[in-house]
Amino acid sequence: MLEARTAPSRATLVAVPAIAVALTLLCGFLLFTAIGSPPEKVAYAFFVQPFASVGAIGEVLLKTGPLLLVAQGLAIGYRADIWNIGAEGQLIVGAICASVLAIAFETSTSPFLLPAMILAGAAGGAAWAGIAALLRVRFGASEILTTFMLSSVALQLLYFLVTGPLKDPMGFNFPQSVMFGDAALFAPLIPGTRANTSLLMGLAATLVAWVFMARTTAGFRLMVGGLAPAAARYAGFSQTRAIWIGLLAGGACAGLAGVGEVAGPLGMLQRTLSPGYGFAAIIVAFLGGLNPIGIVFAALVMAVIYVGGDYAVVSAGVPNASATILQGFLLVFYLAASLLFTHRIRWRKAAVAEGSAP
Amino acid sequence: MTATLVFILSGMLAAATPMLFAALGESVAERSGVLNLSVEGMMATGAAFAFAVATLSGSHTLGFLAGGTAAALLSLVFAALVLVFHANQVAAGLAIGVLGLGVSAFAGNRFEGAAIAKPPSLDIPGLSDLPVVGPILFSHDAMVYLGILLVPVVALVFTRTKLGLSIRAVGENPEAARAIGTPVLGIRLGCVLFGGFMAGLGGAHLSIAYTALWAEGLVAGRGWIAVALVVFGSWLPFRIALGAYVFGAISLMELSVQGLGLAIPSQLLSASPYIVTILVLAAISRDQTRLRLTRPLSLGKPFRGQA
């Protein structure tokens, strides 16, 4: 039935994620109808509504931006076997750093305010991930656990700031900052939608990630370190460097995504900054095959799932958790289908069986 | 001050129990060489199913069984991914973790915010009424004692039985274990399922005994702390238990410090278990030589041999 491939197949690069998406939709559909949601409404919410109006397409693009950014950063680390799973926290810290500038220069109209916020956000996210890098390099502490723990700490830091130092003094005690001035906001991308120019950061990150992974020696070293650690050591590629690059890249991108949220649709710092973009981006990175181009498509698919899920909650009475469960299905099916990267299915019995296995 | 101390010590055993179950189960899976990072999701699934079944049936026992079984089924999917499809264990753990959180939110949707009666505590006449010692040691539900009992049992299985030896052999060197006829994949499957069942019991204790309510996000990082506890305890049951009780105490400090009226931001207290985890992890990982002595050698590596 299954036999090992002798050469990698290009077709699987598209087929594997396509199978994962198809199985996810099928299972999601069965699940939602099983709990009593009208099937035609569920299908309409996921397949039609996200594309049915300019506003809806704008929502899809709005969610594509952060997913794309974070996933590009994470994929760089994942290729080097560096597991940053705390992008959500790095996103929060990036958002906080950018917000501090926006709040401090509340009345500023300077064109440099937004660029400064972008830099601050990237630096903040990178610094937060840098703690995990330092702990891994200096003490050997698993970055999987530290990045996750740090994201929980970041959330509490955010709660502290929006109820204390960064709270709007005139805001009737709501846990949120002042509204940002226009100079601290991204310009709209498509009139009549919430999509804004922060999406360009995601596209820029895609370009940088592609050049880095495909065209630079540093990217090559990182990849070798992930695929064949022994070979990388033998060649003298520094693992310490890979850890730093992998985590800082992921942290900086997540920080940028945080800036995109506060300086985009939110326009202020508040308790809820992201509907789990930092965690969903892990799945986007895998679904895109850890490939910068693949990640663009994966981010779009995930954004449609988010937007479709929102519609399905309203129109078909699907529980709020639908996005989470679909994300779980997506990664499970992707990992299972990944067997096709190394194996192929033979429908008939192999004609030439060399030393047939028992 | 004494009252606070008694409060922390008496609550500590119950607060630690969910993490103890999950960490003990995870340690068994890891000793067989499988790193299952989905503990958080499995605990959430166990918590939700236990709550649903206990509410509908009125039986806590059925609730615990349902929680354990639901999480074990989830771990079966994980086992299929890593043992059959040779998926990367970290990625598979994250996938099942997310799936588990989704499943728990789905299953618990109807019960969001609901409460349930706690299981009876096994009071021992005479002993439970003792001052100080009584509330600390002798006024808990059965699962708290089962958790304590499981610690030496797991330790004995590993040190004194053929099964324990086989599990360790599979975790250290699966090729060698296979060569002497040990069913590597079978052992790993069994250990992963055990880990799943235990994580489910831990989650169940959280929802139907410790907090006695269900809300999405109830597990709140305890599953990840359980994974960290396995490292803290260097894969040894008694040390894992010690770590679990220390973390149980830390999680209670938040409540009691607020009670004392100290001017510490509540968010700092909420973040303290995570901060402590990071610090302890750094301190423990520092001594890599010692960690390497107890870390299962094949941990996280797929076994591709015929089994």
Side-chain angles (χ1 to χ4, degrees), chain A residues 216-293:
Chain A
T216 67
T217 323
F220 175 74
R221 288 180 173 185
L222 223 60
M223 222 151 63
V224 175
L227 288 172
R233 260 198 308 280
Y234 185 70
F237 300 165
S238 155
Q239 208 210 350
T240 306
R241 233 177 115 152
I243 293 168
W244 278 109
I245 294 176
L247 282 164
L248 291 184
C253 286
L256 288 175
V259 183
E261 290 309 292
V262 289
L266 303 178
M268 62 164 91
L269 192 67
Q270 59 178 47
R271 273 175 76 98
T272 320
L273 295 179
S274 119
Y277 289 138
F279 297 112
I282 298 173
I283 294 155
V284 172
F286 275 103
L287 191 65
L290 304 183
N291 173 304
I293 310 299

Side-chain angles (χ1 to χ4, degrees), chain A residues 31-56:
Chain A
L31 182 73
F32 295 146
T33 48
I35 60 164
S37 303
E40 72 285 352
K41 282 190 179 162
V42 174
Y44 188 72
F46 278 96
F47 295 116
V48 181
Q49 275 183 302
F51 315 100
S53 67
V54 180

Side-chain angles (χ1 to χ4, degrees), chain A residues 31-32 35 78 81 83 85 131 135 138-142 144-146 148-150 152-153 156-157 159-160 163 279 282-283 286 318-322 324-325 327-329 331-333 335-337 339 343 357-358, chain B residues 35 37 40 77 81 84-88 90-92 94-96 98-99 101-103 105-106 109 216 221 224-225 227-228 231 265-268 270-271 273-275 277-278 281-283 285-288 304 306:
Chain A
L31 182 73
F32 295 146
I35 60 164
Y78 292 174
D81 223 1
W83 297 95
I85 61 168
I131 300 174
L135 291 171
R138 184 83 178 70
F139 302 110
S142 157
I144 304 175
L145 293 171
T146 52
F148 179 84
M149 300 293 159
L150 282 167
S152 299
V153 176
Q156 296 299 330
L157 179 67
Y159 291 169
F160 170 70
T163 52
F279 297 112
I282 298 173
I283 294 155
F286 275 103
V318 158
N320 275 320
S322 61
T324 315
I325 210 162
Q327 287 167 13
F329 279 146
L331 190 50
V332 168
F333 288 129
L335 292 173
L339 194 67
H343 292 72
Chain B
L35 176 68
L37 289 177
E40 179 88 3
V77 184
L81 281 182
V84 180
F85 290 93
H86 299 306
N88 178 304
V90 175
L94 296 176
I96 302 299
V98 175
L99 187 63
L101 290 179
V103 167
F106 238 76
N109 193 36
E216 207 184 319
W224 288 99
I225 290 179
V227 175
V231 184
S266 66
Q267 294 88 359
L268 180 62
S270 301
Y274 310 111
I275 297 173
T277 308
I278 294 168
L281 200 61
S285 308
R286 202 174 183 166
D287 194 354
Q288 283 289 328
R304 292 179 188 277
Q306 295 274 323

